[in-house]
Amino acid sequence: MKKRKLTVLTAFLLAAVMSFSSGCSLLRGGGGGDDGGENESRKETTSSRTKKENDTDISKSIYKGDEGDGKHLYVTGVSDPIAVRETDEDNGKVLAQLNLGDEVTLLSADSATCYYVSVKDGDVEGYVKKNFLTDEKMAVCKNETGFISETTSLFDSRDDDRKELSKLQKNTAVVILSKNSGNFWYVNVKDTKNYGYVKCTNISDKKVEESSSKASSNNTSSKANTNNNNNNNNNNNNNSGFRFGSGSAPQNYSLYYASVKTGYLAIRNAMKYDSSNELGQIQNGEAVYVVSTNTGNADYWYSYSPKLGIYGYVNKNYLTVGGNNANTNNNNNNNNNNGFRLGSGNYPNSYSVYYASVSSGYLAIRNAMKFDSSNELGQMQNGEEVLVVSTNTGNADYWYCYSPKLGVYGYVNKNYLTPGQGSTVTTTPSSGYEIWDTRVSSGYLALRNAPSYNSSNEVAKLYNGDVVYVYSGTSYVNFTDTYWWVYSPKYDRWGYVDSNYIYKSNRN
């Protein structure tokens, strides 16, 4: 009988210990920060660091907590659906498929190549390749090819303690898998198994012209609209009958835009790089009308600059397509004759902040001012940021806009936009502001596209010491509110921050 009592007592004590241990494992430190959540500091578990030392996936930046911390991740860098598998093997049984932008919940990061996630409201749990998941909804993008503009480093993460994995030489092709907030994008070195982070400022959508540095240093604007009197020596390439120098706009052309990272794109009277043959200088983003691609030279097209009013040769490698680009003429180009750039491009310098407002479906950004599935450049979900560049389009329903998430310019139906605070043409500030410093004991302070705490409205991360510019006045900041509308010079963008974590700098 005593033996039975001891056994029962032992079992009781063991159950109590296990219950206490289980309860302890559910405790999480709730450190301070933006609304008490973002600056939570957790210790890494051994299991979350069982990966190979040279593993170059995105886990270092995404996964910093204990297993099953419930972080939301988003599918990125894919054109076709990706599999959720029963195991982390490539031939594991397929349980479900995910499309670009789909959301999953992180359950575990034990695998070296995959995350164990929950999808479809927990109905399915399985493994998904890490390289195609990001922790930032705004970072989601299709896989697109870019080129390294100058020798740069490939890093293992985008964190301050990042380590260099290798050097990438100029014009190395990379596949962009996510456009993370901040200075680093996640890429795959094309046709290799090398993944990592590269400064986004060192990625171009075109190969870099070897002589582009000479062009930018030879910035002599007086050459524009000159050289109408071409002589026989420098006009050897004109025997095709092409006209060079000033002239009226062509009747038939294809619409393109100059795409140069620095300097300018020259329009020339000969098909070669030479400072003596420049007819004028075309700046980044300016319209170029391509009249003929049949020049006998693979790199140069015969074109017209509507801004300069001149004809000449342009290096096609520094042109990006605009709108529907098949045999564009004056009759079907009524939406493009205002010089608006359509398609991919850099952040605008001047804009008004709005947000997509749709009860269902999505809001399209288009290359024409009409509802047509064929003219969609991209899709914006409800609540996503839309930067209105111009309301003067000649159409009462469509505004010319930029989507920061998609990185494209186009037309958006204004009836599905709602304004953000300070949306009276917000520009990059030059004066009239105070410098405030970010102060967080750990983690980060979120820059948001709405004045509320929500994981879906984060657009960038501000770390301890990062600067923001604060403006007084009701159009920008109401100092009695928790969230202030500020400008971040680090990211060159506006947004809301929790004012409890910024302090006026002594540098004012």
Side-chain angles (χ1 to χ4, degrees):
M1 187 69 179
K2 284 185 178 180
K3 184 175 182 181
R4 177 175 175 79
K5 285 184 178 179
L6 288 173
T7 303
V8 171
L9 179 59
T10 301
F12 175 78
L13 292 173
L14 179 60
V17 170
M18 292 178 66
S19 176
F20 178 77
S21 300
S22 175
C24 289
S25 68
L26 297 177
L27 297 178
R28 294 285 186 268
D34 187 348
D35 303 313
E38 288 160 353
N39 296 303
E40 185 174 0
S41 178
R42 304 184 181 97
K43 295 182 179 179
E44 295 180 351
T45 61
T46 303
S47 62
S48 69
R49 286 293 176 264
T50 58
K51 293 174 274 298
K52 297 178 182 179
E53 187 175 346
N54 63 348
D55 184 15
T56 58
D57 59 53
I58 54 179
S59 59
K60 184 174 180 183
S61 287
I62 287 182
Y63 187 78
K64 292 185 175 180
D66 297 334
E67 290 186 26
D69 73 350
K71 184 182 288 293
H72 295 293
L73 306 178
Y74 306 89
V75 177
T76 185
V78 298
S79 298
D80 301 314
I82 60 172
V84 181
R85 298 184 182 274
E86 192 173 50
T87 69
D88 62 355
E89 303 294 330
D90 290 341
N91 59 354
K93 180 182 177 181
V94 176
L95 304 177
Q97 289 190 321
L98 299 172
N99 295 305
L100 183 73
D102 282 352
E103 180 180 316
V104 299
T105 302
L106 176 64
L107 299 178
S108 173
D110 281 350
S111 170
T113 58
C114 298
Y115 284 133
Y116 189 66
V117 302
S118 170
V119 300
K120 296 183 178 178
D121 299 322
D123 293 341
V124 176
E125 294 181 1
Y127 292 89
V128 179
K129 291 291 185 182
K130 291 180 178 180
N131 294 322
F132 302 107
L133 293 174
T134 177
D135 60 341
E136 293 185 275
K137 188 175 182 179
M138 298 291 286
V140 171
C141 67
K142 289 184 179 180
N143 53 359
E144 53 187 85
T145 299
F147 298 91
I148 300 302
S149 58
E150 58 186 72
T151 300
T152 190
S153 298
L154 181 72
F155 292 103
D156 67 336
S157 81
R158 60 183 191 268
D159 297 337
D160 292 338
D161 61 346
R162 58 187 174 272
K163 296 180 180 179
E164 183 182 84
L165 299 173
S166 63
K167 288 286 188 185
L168 301 181
Q169 302 302 313
K170 184 167 69 173
N171 286 333
T172 298
V174 296
V175 179
I176 303 168
L177 299 179
S178 66
K179 295 181 177 180
N180 309 286
S181 61
N183 297 323
F184 292 90
W185 289 353
Y186 186 63
V187 304
N188 166 235
V189 182
K190 198 167 185 179
D191 299 326
T192 75
K193 294 183 178 181
N194 297 325
Y195 293 82
Y197 291 86
V198 173
K199 276 191 175 182
C200 59
T201 53
N202 291 334
I203 301 176
S204 172
D205 58 356
K206 298 282 186 181
K207 284 190 175 182
V208 179
E209 189 174 9
E210 294 299 327
S211 53
S212 60
S213 60
K214 295 180 181 179
S216 60
S217 63
N218 190 23
N219 192 16
T220 310
S221 60
S222 61
K223 291 183 180 180
N225 292 316
T226 60
N227 286 354
N228 289 336
N229 298 319
N230 301 317
N231 58 43
N232 291 333
N233 292 329
N234 64 16
N235 200 35
N236 292 330
N237 291 318
N238 296 343
N239 54 13
S240 58
F242 292 150
R243 173 177 183 169
F244 292 84
S246 61
S248 301
Q251 292 296 311
N252 294 283
Y253 56 86
S254 295
L255 177 64
Y256 284 76
Y257 296 94
S259 179
V260 290
K261 187 173 182 180
T262 59
Y264 58 87
L265 174 63
I267 185 166
R268 308 176 182 278
N269 60 29
M271 293 183 286
K272 63 178 180 178
Y273 175 79
D274 190 328
S275 60
S276 67
N277 64 24
E278 289 186 14
L279 298 174
Q281 301 172 1
I282 305 169
Q283 304 303 315
N284 184 55
E286 290 181 358
V288 177
Y289 297 168
V290 174
V291 181
S292 175
T293 61
N294 187 23
T295 62
N297 186 306
D299 290 324
Y300 284 88
W301 288 349
Y302 179 62
S303 307
Y304 177 81
S305 166
K307 177 182 177 181
L308 301 176
I310 57 178
Y311 288 85
Y313 293 111
V314 171
N315 190 322
K316 73 168 187 179
N317 298 306
Y318 299 95
L319 294 176
T320 185
V321 68
N324 288 327
N325 205 42
N327 297 322
T328 308
N329 57 45
N330 286 342
N331 292 327
N332 64 17
N333 196 40
N334 292 330
N335 291 324
N336 294 336
N337 58 12
N338 49 21
F340 289 147
R341 172 177 184 158
L342 305 176
S344 61
N346 298 323
Y347 219 83
N349 291 323
S350 178
Y351 53 85
S352 300
V353 179
Y354 283 75
Y355 299 98
S357 178
V358 290
S359 58
S360 62
Y362 59 87
L363 176 61
I365 186 167
R366 307 177 182 278
N367 61 30
M369 292 184 282
K370 63 179 180 178
F371 177 78
D372 190 329
S373 59
S374 66
N375 65 22
E376 288 187 11
L377 297 174
Q379 300 175 359
M380 297 173 289
Q381 305 303 314
N382 185 56
E384 287 183 1
E385 191 177 47
V386 180
L387 307 184
V388 176
V389 181
S390 176
T391 60
N392 187 23
T393 62
N395 186 305
D397 289 324
Y398 283 88
W399 288 349
Y400 178 60
C401 302
Y402 179 77
S403 166
K405 175 184 174 181
L406 301 173
V408 298
Y409 287 86
Y411 297 105
V412 173
N413 191 322
K414 74 168 188 179
N415 299 305
Y416 299 96
L417 294 176
T418 184
Q421 182 176 336
S423 63
T424 57
V425 184
T426 305
T427 60
T428 302
S430 58
S431 61
Y433 59 85
E434 293 178 345
I435 298 174
W436 288 56
D437 295 323
T438 301
R439 292 188 192 174
V440 290
S441 58
S442 62
Y444 63 89
L445 172 66
L447 185 70
R448 304 179 180 279
N449 62 25
S452 63
Y453 176 78
N454 191 313
S455 59
S456 66
N457 64 22
E458 289 187 16
V459 294
K461 296 177 180 179
L462 300 170
Y463 292 92
N464 193 52
D466 283 349
V467 166
V468 295
Y469 295 167
V470 176
Y471 290 72
S472 62
T474 56
S475 62
Y476 289 99
V477 173
N478 183 343
F479 289 103
T480 62
D481 292 341
T482 300
Y483 283 89
W484 292 359
W485 181 250
V486 302
Y487 172 78
S488 167
K490 177 179 180 179
Y491 297 113
D492 187 22
R493 68 184 305 165
W494 294 76
Y496 295 95
V497 297
D498 188 326
S499 60
N500 293 306
Y501 299 98
I502 58 173
Y503 296 83
K504 190 173 179 179
S505 173
N506 58 13
R507 286 170 285 183
N508 289 290

